[in-house]
Amino acid sequence: MGSEAIHGELDERAAKVAERVVAWRRHLHRHPELSNREVNTARLVADHLRGLGLDEVRTGIAGHGVVGVLRGSAPDGGRTVSGGGRVVALRADMDALPVKDLCGADFASEVVDADYPGGPFPVSHACGHDCHTAVLMGAATVLAGVRDRLPGTVLFVFQPAEEGPPVTEEGGARAMVEAGAFADPVPTMAFGLHVTPYPKGYVGYRVGNQYGASTLVRVIVTGKQVHGSTPWEGIDPMPAVGAVLTGIGQLYRQVSAFDPVTVTIGHVEDVGRFNIIGQTVTLWGTVRCAVESDMAEVQRRLTTLVEHSAAAYGATATVEYLQAVPPVHNSGPWVEAALPTLRRVAGGDRVVETGATLGYDDVSELVGRFGGLYVMLGVQDATLDASGRPVPVAGGRGLVTNHNPHFYADDDTLVTGVRLHAHVAYDHLTGALVP
């Protein structure tokens, strides 16, 4: 069977599994689980992979990670120069967010996690990881059906804690690597996709950094607790906190304006009451850099700002940088190799280059180590304007960014994601998608 015929069969099999993919996605959306708590999600995935008769289904990796191993039985066609068969790692993230679900669908989440550190939290798949998981389950179904035509190995990688585990825990892509999830066999390519507010069925790519570098930051400002009626007898940490929050807005002027950076404080934590000047205030935030080499300088300047602001008010402060994630970098040769596959799946006019973003995704740990690429899949009621930017279509549901409580994804688009995974895997194993 020639490549054209097998590509057609992959599409036929994807169409047949499309209804199940939608059902999986809706089930996962209704039952989301936060980072490092993906117990039921992982069980659903593992049970499905076992039902496909894969060679191996590995569970409990770096928490609740699951890796399915499918060894193709076609001879020789996927041999590399060194003589070992090619191995493609297809990755999906499984965790949800502490965000209320206001998407408006009848399968919207009503889950509240009362036990999660810092909670209770409403929980929803406001980033679309339910879509990623369901799509990869569908791709596993498709590829298991053609294993006799696969001249290499497929790893179906279901990753926990992409959004970042609690700071007292380990988790995510790097933890899976360190746990040996990719030691045997070692991938020769990693691939993944992320649903995004782009026209439905469009595939977006970027040569260079698809996502920026990121780190979590924790700032603790310490004063001296005292009654609110006698502030001169203590040290109020609040003025220092105010100076830090104001000063952060000027950090961007201290690094090159040609490579974007941002420092965001998303949570301020104080323990006390209205008539007590508390001992400490904790700030939680994130640092994002379009260029990874800027990260050290931004951290240095932020640390200086925090320490000196605290000292100016007689307080002290510490700054910690946690959960560093490198940028997702799509190299030119990998993109060039993949474009024929992407265009075959989505259509040439629906494969477009996207702009830069300061979002992050720890799939970078895989793409950076093993090669490959990461692309965007449009799932919303949008079109592209003359400059190539997505804009809402009249009468649609609008454009809603990931992590927003109203984020939504079109179910009919998910089959395109299944096809992307299947075509990329087959093309890489047969040697058609290599730099």
Side-chain angles (χ1 to χ4, degrees):
M1 181 180 289
S3 294
E4 184 174 343
I6 187 65
H7 290 145
E9 183 175 348
L10 294 176
D11 290 342
E12 291 174 4
R13 289 178 176 272
K16 290 179 180 178
V17 79
E19 287 188 9
R20 295 181 69 193
V21 170
V22 171
W24 289 324
R25 183 262 165 147
R26 293 187 175 191
H27 172 82
L28 292 168
H29 194 93
R30 191 187 297 273
H31 303 284
E33 295 172 301
L34 293 172
S35 300
N36 273 5
R37 305 295 187 273
E38 308 90 342
V39 177
N40 295 315
T41 303
R43 182 182 298 117
L44 174 71
V45 167
D47 287 348
H48 174 64
L49 296 183
R50 291 189 186 101
L52 296 176
L54 302 189
D55 296 274
E56 295 180 65
V57 178
R58 306 167 183 168
T59 60
I61 304 171
H64 303 293
V66 179
V67 175
V69 183
L70 174 65
R71 296 186 178 92
S73 55
D76 296 329
R79 295 290 171 180
T80 62
V81 174
S82 63
R86 291 190 179 90
V87 179
V88 60
L90 305 177
R91 178 271 203 171
D93 37 15
M94 301 187 293
D95 55 329
L97 288 164
V99 173
K100 189 174 179 61
D101 193 340
L102 300 177
C103 73
D106 58 7
F107 52 88
S109 168
E110 297 180 357
V111 171
V112 175
D113 191 327
D115 300 321
Y116 204 73
F121 292 113
V123 186
S124 75
H125 272 294
C127 199
H129 296 185
D130 53 334
C131 300
H132 304 167
T133 299
V135 160
L136 189 53
M137 291 171 68
T141 308
V142 170
L143 291 168
V146 296
R147 68 185 306 160
D148 60 318
R149 261 105 12 109
L150 299 179
T153 300
V154 185
L155 302 180
F156 303 103
V157 181
F158 294 86
Q159 179 203 312
E162 188 279 330
E163 298 290 354
V167 294
T168 58
E169 302 175 14
E170 299 295 324
R174 185 178 301 172
M176 290 192 77
V177 172
E178 293 173 348
F182 308 99
D184 183 22
V186 177
T188 54
M189 176 188 184
F191 175 78
L193 59 85
H194 205 300
V195 294
T196 195
Y198 240 64
K200 292 184 289 188
Y202 274 60
V203 174
Y205 70 92
R206 179 174 174 80
V207 177
N209 285 357
Q210 180 77 64
Y211 284 111
S214 170
T215 187
L216 184 153
V217 59
R218 174 169 58 189
V219 174
I220 301 177
V221 180
T222 302
K224 179 181 177 182
Q225 185 165 316
V226 71
H227 195 281
S229 64
T230 57
W232 57 86
E233 293 183 359
I235 299 174
D236 190 348
M238 285 297 185
V241 168
V244 169
L245 294 175
T246 301
I248 281 174
Q250 294 298 308
L251 287 178
Y252 79 95
R253 300 185 64 181
Q254 300 173 29
V255 295
S256 172
F258 295 97
D259 295 313
V261 303
T262 186
V263 180
T264 299
I265 300 299
H267 182 64
V268 179
E269 185 178 283
D270 179 32
V271 178
R273 68 194 302 270
F274 71 96
N275 63 346
I276 295 175
I277 293 174
Q279 185 84 2
T280 63
V281 178
T282 302
L283 310 180
W284 296 91
T286 182
V287 180
R288 305 292 176 90
C289 298
V291 178
E292 189 172 17
S293 58
D294 286 340
M295 182 62 76
E297 179 64 9
V298 175
Q299 290 182 357
R300 185 185 71 82
R301 292 183 178 275
L302 176 57
T303 299
T304 299
L305 169 68
V306 169
E307 292 177 346
H308 289 198
S309 296
Y313 290 95
T316 59
T318 60
V319 185
E320 294 177 89
Y321 299 100
L322 310 165
Q323 300 183 1
V325 176
V328 178
H329 184 82
N330 292 331
S331 71
W334 274 107
V335 171
E336 184 178 357
L339 280 175
T341 303
L342 303 181
R343 288 169 177 155
R344 181 196 318 123
V345 171
D349 60 337
R350 289 172 171 259
V351 177
V352 296
E353 190 163 6
T354 67
T357 173
L358 288 176
Y360 87 87
D361 194 303
D362 69 356
V363 73
S364 56
E365 299 284 358
L366 309 184
V367 174
R369 280 176 171 82
F370 308 121
L373 75 161
Y374 199 58
V375 301
M376 306 293 101
L377 175 62
V379 292
Q380 293 192 358
D381 299 333
T383 187
L384 298 182
D385 65 15
S387 64
R389 295 180 179 179
V391 294
V393 297
R397 290 165 287 180
L399 283 181
V400 186
T401 61
N402 305 73
H403 289 220
N404 185 295
H406 296 276
F407 178 80
Y408 71 94
D410 184 81
D411 283 334
D412 293 339
T413 311
L414 301 182
V415 68
T416 302
V418 175
R419 294 174 58 228
L420 279 169
H421 278 298
H423 281 247
V424 166
Y426 179 81
D427 287 358
H428 179 65
L429 297 184
T430 57
L433 200 171
V434 293

